[in-house]
Amino acid sequence: MFSSLDPQTALRWAGDVGEHLRQEAIRNSGGAAWIGAVPLRDIERAHLSVIGYDLYSGSAGVAVFLAALAALTSDGAIEALAREALAPIRREVSNPSHAKVLARTIGIGGAVGVGSLVYALLLVGRFLKDNSMLDDAQRAAGLIGDREITEDRFNDVIGGSAGAILALLSLYDRTCDSSLLRTAIRCGEHLMKSMNFHPILSRRADSFSARPLTGIAHGAAGKALSLHRLFKVTNDETIQVRCIRGCQI
């Protein structure tokens, strides 16, 4: 079915998805949310609930899709919905007391943590040509402090420091803010410390399986990717060694 898919058809289908999201949106106080399958962080299950804020299964991911669709179609209603999807997140990261609670609750990861909010705000701002979202991305990045890094027990791309590194460096590429690089380096140091029993291969902190994982999302490949990105910016040979070992698994 997809072998002969042309761009116009793909865009029309994407528009259908956008219209479905518009119809299903729960709007309140200038924001938008949806009911969906929300992962239960520690037991690898999901339940139906109002989706959270993150990129993987929350409103940040919905906002990225809608913003990309709006950029391609110039659809004002879809752009407005993308902004509504991000509105509650932007309010949270702009409120210091709420933001700290949010960071402790969702962690620092690149798909389900604060890192995912950083990346979503960066992307949506780019798609909608709205530089004010860069300011919120910076605020979100500032929530990744020493305590949050130290308490990270996932360490992977989805929920841990590997994902935080990718998000922070993406924002650093755009802003050249040295504080973002310093935070990414601290995440890298934490990530490498977590590899004590093996150079880079590790088990998920929330997994009942004894098998080490090798993939992008939770395993060695994702950690190697993050450390490679960090090495390319810092030229730190210690980081390079860890990357090489990871790629030899």
Side-chain angles (χ1 to χ4, degrees):
M1 181 175 69
F2 294 104
S3 60
S4 60
L5 183 63
D6 61 274
Q8 291 77 16
T9 300
L11 188 58
R12 186 174 70 251
W13 288 358
D16 292 342
V17 174
E19 176 59 20
H20 174 74
L21 289 169
R22 189 188 66 79
Q23 292 177 5
E24 295 295 320
I26 304 167
R27 288 181 160 97
N28 184 45
S29 301
W34 291 264
I35 301 293
V38 178
L40 298 171
R41 188 177 176 90
D42 293 326
I43 63 173
E44 299 184 338
R45 298 290 187 275
H47 67 130
L48 284 178
S49 179
V50 176
I51 62 175
Y53 290 157
D54 61 80
L55 185 66
Y56 183 79
S57 61
S59 54
V62 176
V64 169
F65 167 76
L66 292 170
L69 181 60
L72 289 170
T73 63
S74 301
D75 187 322
I78 293 297
E79 176 177 339
L81 187 58
R83 293 180 182 278
E84 289 178 71
L86 276 187
I89 298 171
R90 300 182 75 181
R91 286 196 292 265
E92 288 291 297
V93 300
S94 297
N95 184 314
S97 58
H98 290 187
K100 289 180 181 178
V101 172
L102 177 65
R104 303 276 167 78
T105 301
I106 68 175
I108 65 174
V112 300
V114 173
S116 77
L117 305 186
V118 173
Y119 193 56
L121 287 160
L122 174 63
L123 283 181
V124 174
R126 182 182 301 161
F127 288 140
L128 302 184
K129 296 181 173 58
D130 184 347
N131 287 331
S132 71
M133 292 192 186
L134 275 181
D135 296 333
D136 287 329
Q138 291 272 57
R139 292 187 186 97
L143 300 177
I144 304 176
D146 289 337
R147 177 175 175 176
E148 287 72 30
I149 295 169
T150 301
E151 292 180 351
D152 167 38
R153 64 189 182 90
F154 293 94
N155 304 309
D156 57 18
V157 168
I158 296 292
S161 49
I165 291 169
L166 294 175
L168 290 164
L169 292 181
S170 294
L171 186 57
Y172 174 74
D173 286 344
R174 179 71 182 274
T175 65
C176 296
D177 184 338
S178 60
S179 68
L180 297 168
L181 181 57
R182 289 194 296 271
T183 303
I185 291 170
R186 291 200 298 272
C187 288
E189 291 168 348
H190 173 77
L191 178 57
M192 290 187 287
K193 286 179 183 177
S194 76
M195 300 170 186
N196 287 336
F197 68 90
H198 191 287
I200 194 165
L201 200 62
S202 68
R203 298 172 180 85
R204 280 184 63 189
D206 63 342
S207 176
F208 295 105
S209 171
R211 292 184 60 189
L213 301 174
T214 58
I216 288 282
H218 300 293
K223 295 173 184 179
L225 173 65
S226 296
L227 291 177
H228 175 70
R229 284 278 289 114
L230 190 57
F231 165 70
K232 293 292 284 185
V233 177
T234 64
N235 290 314
D236 185 324
E237 293 184 359
T238 302
I239 298 173
Q240 183 185 35
V241 168
R242 289 300 180 105
C243 286
I244 293 171
R245 289 177 180 174
C247 293
Q248 291 173 339
I249 291 171

